[in-house]
Amino acid sequence: MSDVLLHTTGRAAHITLNRPKAINALSHPMVLRIAEALTAWEHDPAVETVVITGAGERGLCAGGDIRAVHDDARDGDGTAAAAFWYDEYHLNARIARYPKPYVAIMDGIVMGGGVGVSAHGSVRIATERSRIAMPETGIGFVPDVGGTRLLALAPGELGTHLALTGAQIGAADALLCGLADHFMPSGSIRPFADDLAELPVPEALARHVRSAPEGELAGHRAWIDACYPADTVEEIVQRLSAHGDPAAKQAAETLLTRSPTSLKVTLKSLRRARRLGSLEQVLDQEYRVSCATLATHDLVEGIRAQVVDKDRDPHWSPATLAEVTDADVDRFFAPLGERELGLAPPGRAAPPTAHQARDEDHDR
């Protein structure tokens, strides 16, 4: 069977990611098939809504196929991984600009590339089973798929905390951070999908949306907003360690297990994303950074430790934050020339997204 299942029911077209044993991890062919379907449905007057879900019981999507990235970085020349990211990031931008309602059911695990195919949509639904995260610093990588923009727009320093630690959040915290729009019990997903065949999205939502259970991040805002505005990762760790809240100390301990290089590049990526004018510009930046990681030790080592050998014992190089210089970090942001994504050409305004007004209000 196909790794991406496509069908239409009434007024709704459905994308089902269909690699349940891999928690529907995205491969390059899957990205291309989704893009092709979106093009066809955009011009089909019978299709009024697009819905994306994941097969199986574990989640929408655990991310990109990082084992394939690992093999290309270790044994190849990186061109396959770069080509995958090129098309994946174009898909992320396409989803954000899609002219019809794009409904993402963020049930279960939604991480990395899974965030990219859901959180840029115009209707994002979390459930009591949702576990949403950008865990890239734990594999020697950096948040991508537009994740640095999404997290940069989160209230206060919540996004910095999530990006650096890779912490998983549930539905209420996803709503707080702007990664989801609605809460729906998982038992309502199928009836909701059935209603979309006949009803406009707002009417279907009204039948099934409920109040989300209480989250955790709101209660941690004090120490998060006090510690994470620091200019360097070293100072963030120091502030967290010195703070009296045990959760802050735990966050500091978590950071010290992550790739030091990834932490510093992630912090700079987030701070720069706050100043960039559009999702497309952020994706251009992320593409440069992602391609640069292919030449690093930490990407191969991190995926090896977490996914391939699963010994959970990565040996980072450089091993400490102090050993990662500003010049080391700056190299990740160097122009790529012909391999730039070209999503936001200079002087050309990108069309508004479904979330742009909300983003601009948040920036103010």
Side-chain angles (χ1 to χ4, degrees):
M1 295 180 67
S2 172
D3 288 344
V4 177
L5 304 179
L6 308 173
H7 75 277
T8 58
T9 303
R11 62 199 295 161
H14 293 262
I15 302 167
T16 303
L17 306 181
N18 189 39
R19 295 182 67 198
K21 291 183 179 179
I23 319 180
N24 303 313
L26 289 171
S27 65
H28 197 172
M30 291 170 71
V31 166
L32 296 176
R33 183 162 173 79
I34 295 169
E36 181 181 4
L38 291 180
T39 298
W41 291 333
E42 180 177 346
H43 301 288
D44 185 346
V47 171
E48 298 185 20
T49 303
V50 173
V51 185
I52 186 167
T53 57
E57 299 296 322
R58 300 174 67 188
L60 171 65
C61 176
D65 189 347
I66 57 175
R67 185 182 289 266
V69 171
H70 166 275
D71 293 348
D72 189 39
R74 184 191 63 184
D75 305 324
D77 59 5
T79 57
F84 167 58
W85 289 326
Y86 186 92
D87 289 324
E88 183 183 24
Y89 300 173
H90 272 282
L91 176 62
N92 302 145
R94 177 75 180 283
I95 290 168
R97 308 294 182 194
Y98 204 64
K100 297 181 179 183
Y102 180 98
V103 180
I105 308 298
M106 303 172 75
D107 186 43
I109 292 173
V110 185
M111 298 184 184
V115 172
V117 296
S118 59
H120 297 298
S122 53
V123 181
R124 302 154 316 159
I125 297 170
T127 77
E128 79 282 358
R129 293 163 22 96
S130 296
R131 302 306 301 168
I132 301 168
M134 296 297 293
E136 287 78 6
T137 60
I139 58 168
F141 195 45
V142 177
D144 64 338
V145 299
T148 56
R149 178 170 175 80
L150 292 167
L151 294 175
L153 292 171
E157 294 295 328
L158 293 178
T160 311
H161 169 66
L162 296 179
L164 295 181
T165 63
Q168 299 180 22
I169 58 174
D173 290 332
L175 292 168
L176 173 63
C177 292
L179 298 176
D181 304 303
H182 306 284
F183 171 79
M184 183 179 296
S186 58
S188 294
I189 291 174
R190 186 176 295 277
F192 172 66
D194 291 341
D195 285 343
L196 288 174
E198 301 178 357
L199 299 175
V201 172
E203 293 183 29
L205 286 170
R207 292 187 174 189
H208 301 284
V209 165
R210 301 290 183 267
S211 297
E214 186 175 352
E216 300 178 2
L217 287 180
H220 294 318
R221 284 291 300 275
W223 61 264
I224 288 175
D225 289 347
C227 297
Y228 283 97
D231 291 334
T232 66
V233 179
E234 290 94 332
E235 186 178 350
I236 290 172
V237 172
Q238 290 171 1
R239 290 188 186 187
L240 290 169
S241 299
H243 199 281
D245 194 307
K249 183 178 180 181
Q250 179 60 53
E253 293 173 354
T254 296
L255 291 181
L256 293 177
T257 68
R258 304 307 192 225
S259 161
T261 301
S262 294
L263 289 174
K264 290 197 171 185
V265 176
T266 295
L267 183 62
K268 183 168 183 175
S269 295
L270 282 169
R271 299 286 165 81
R272 287 169 59 106
R274 287 176 176 172
R275 300 192 297 270
L276 293 172
S278 69
L279 170 61
E280 285 82 357
Q281 290 173 318
V282 172
L283 287 164
D284 279 336
Q285 172 176 277
E286 291 178 351
Y287 185 66
R288 293 196 299 273
V289 171
S290 296
C291 288
T293 66
L294 291 168
T296 67
H297 165 275
D298 282 6
L299 178 64
V300 173
E301 173 61 10
I303 298 174
R304 178 208 64 78
Q306 298 297 335
V307 177
V308 180
D309 297 336
K310 299 182 180 180
D311 58 27
R312 310 291 192 262
D313 185 27
H315 297 277
W316 307 122
S317 179
T320 66
L321 291 166
E323 294 176 85
V324 182
T325 68
D326 290 343
D328 293 333
V329 174
D330 290 342
R331 280 195 286 271
F332 285 79
F333 297 88
L336 292 174
E338 293 181 357
R339 288 206 304 185
E340 292 285 3
L341 273 172
L343 283 165
R348 184 184 304 170
T353 70
H355 303 302
Q356 186 166 343
R358 180 182 63 194
D359 293 348
E360 290 173 352
D361 288 342
H362 192 95
D363 289 339
R364 288 195 292 267

